[in-house]
């Protein structure tokens, strides 16, 4: 089924459409909608993260800061490698729901405390509709510097 792209009703107000979603996939849809929209500028979005921003993020004590911070610890050890939620469960002491919750809270946290900055890592979707996450080499190096300061 093709759905036309929603047209702008008023400036900044998109028109909404109803899309039936299987009950067992609703959480996946929420997670997808919580992520920043993918744009042509996605690569540039990662460049907005500098050492000071990452330090400020690491210094936070909220759930998103702590749990996403630990995920960044893992991903920073292998820049550009894709990590699924299952991989992150294996590498951290968090379960799937904790990781999914931290990821869904990350966007809200960044909007509230980082002027709406995009995520500091990439998201790729497989054909099975599973997300995988990675940090690029630049972010990995900065994150490792942040963690070295905290020791």
């Amino acid at each position: 089924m093709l759905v036309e792209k929603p047209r702008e009703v008023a400036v900044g107000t998109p028109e909404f459409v109803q899309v039936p979603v299987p009950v067992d996939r609703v959480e996946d849809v929420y997670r997808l909608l919580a992520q920043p929209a993918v744009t042509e500028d996605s690569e540039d979005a990662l460049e907005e993260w500098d050492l000071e921003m990452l330090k400020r993020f690491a210094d936070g004590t909220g759930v998103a800061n702590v749990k996403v911070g630990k995920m960044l610890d893992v991903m920073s050890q292998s820049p550009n490698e894709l990590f699924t939620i299952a991989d992150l469960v294996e590498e951290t002491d968090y379960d799937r729901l904790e990781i999914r919750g931290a990821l869904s809270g990350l966007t809200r946290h960044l909007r509230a405390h980082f002027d709406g900055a995009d995520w500091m890592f990439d998201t790729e979707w497989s054909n099975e509709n599973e997300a995988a996450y990675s940090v690029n080499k630049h972010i990995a190096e900065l994150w490792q510097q942040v963690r070295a300061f905290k020791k």
Side-chain angles (χ1 to χ4, degrees):
M1 172 176 132
L2 290 175
V3 177
E4 288 183 33
K5 181 178 178 183
R7 68 186 192 292
E8 295 291 322
V9 177
V11 176
T13 308
E15 182 178 349
F16 290 90
V17 296
Q18 291 186 352
V19 179
V21 176
V23 172
D24 64 333
R25 301 300 305 275
V26 170
E27 282 187 45
D28 294 330
V29 172
Y30 285 147
R31 185 179 39 159
L32 176 65
L33 293 174
Q35 294 181 357
V38 177
T39 66
E40 293 175 7
D41 300 327
S42 292
E43 275 300 310
D44 296 335
L46 294 176
E47 293 176 14
E48 74 183 306
W49 284 93
D50 60 18
L51 187 61
E52 290 306 313
M53 283 179 71
L54 288 169
K55 278 184 190 176
R56 195 159 56 92
F57 183 83
D59 288 340
T61 57
V63 171
N65 301 81
V66 174
K67 292 186 178 178
V68 172
K70 187 153 188 178
M71 293 164 51
L72 285 168
D73 292 340
V74 169
M75 293 188 289
S76 292
Q77 297 303 311
S78 302
N80 300 315
E81 182 178 325
L82 292 172
F83 290 86
T84 63
I85 289 181
D87 296 329
L88 293 169
V89 165
E90 189 175 313
E91 297 291 330
T92 66
D93 58 351
Y94 305 130
D95 63 33
R96 289 183 70 80
L97 290 177
E98 289 175 300
I99 289 174
R100 290 171 79 176
L103 291 171
S104 68
L106 179 60
T107 299
R108 290 187 303 275
H109 181 75
L110 296 178
R111 282 185 189 143
H113 303 287
F114 289 85
D115 295 323
D118 289 322
W119 287 10
M120 63 287 281
F121 50 88
D122 287 317
T123 305
E124 291 187 28
W125 291 90
S126 71
N127 291 338
E128 293 82 38
N129 228 6
E130 181 179 24
Y133 310 95
S134 67
V135 294
N136 64 31
K137 186 177 178 185
H138 175 70
I139 296 292
E141 289 171 355
L142 291 177
W143 187 252
Q144 289 171 1
Q145 289 175 40
V146 166
R147 289 307 206 200
F149 287 132
K150 291 192 77 134
K151 291 183 179 178

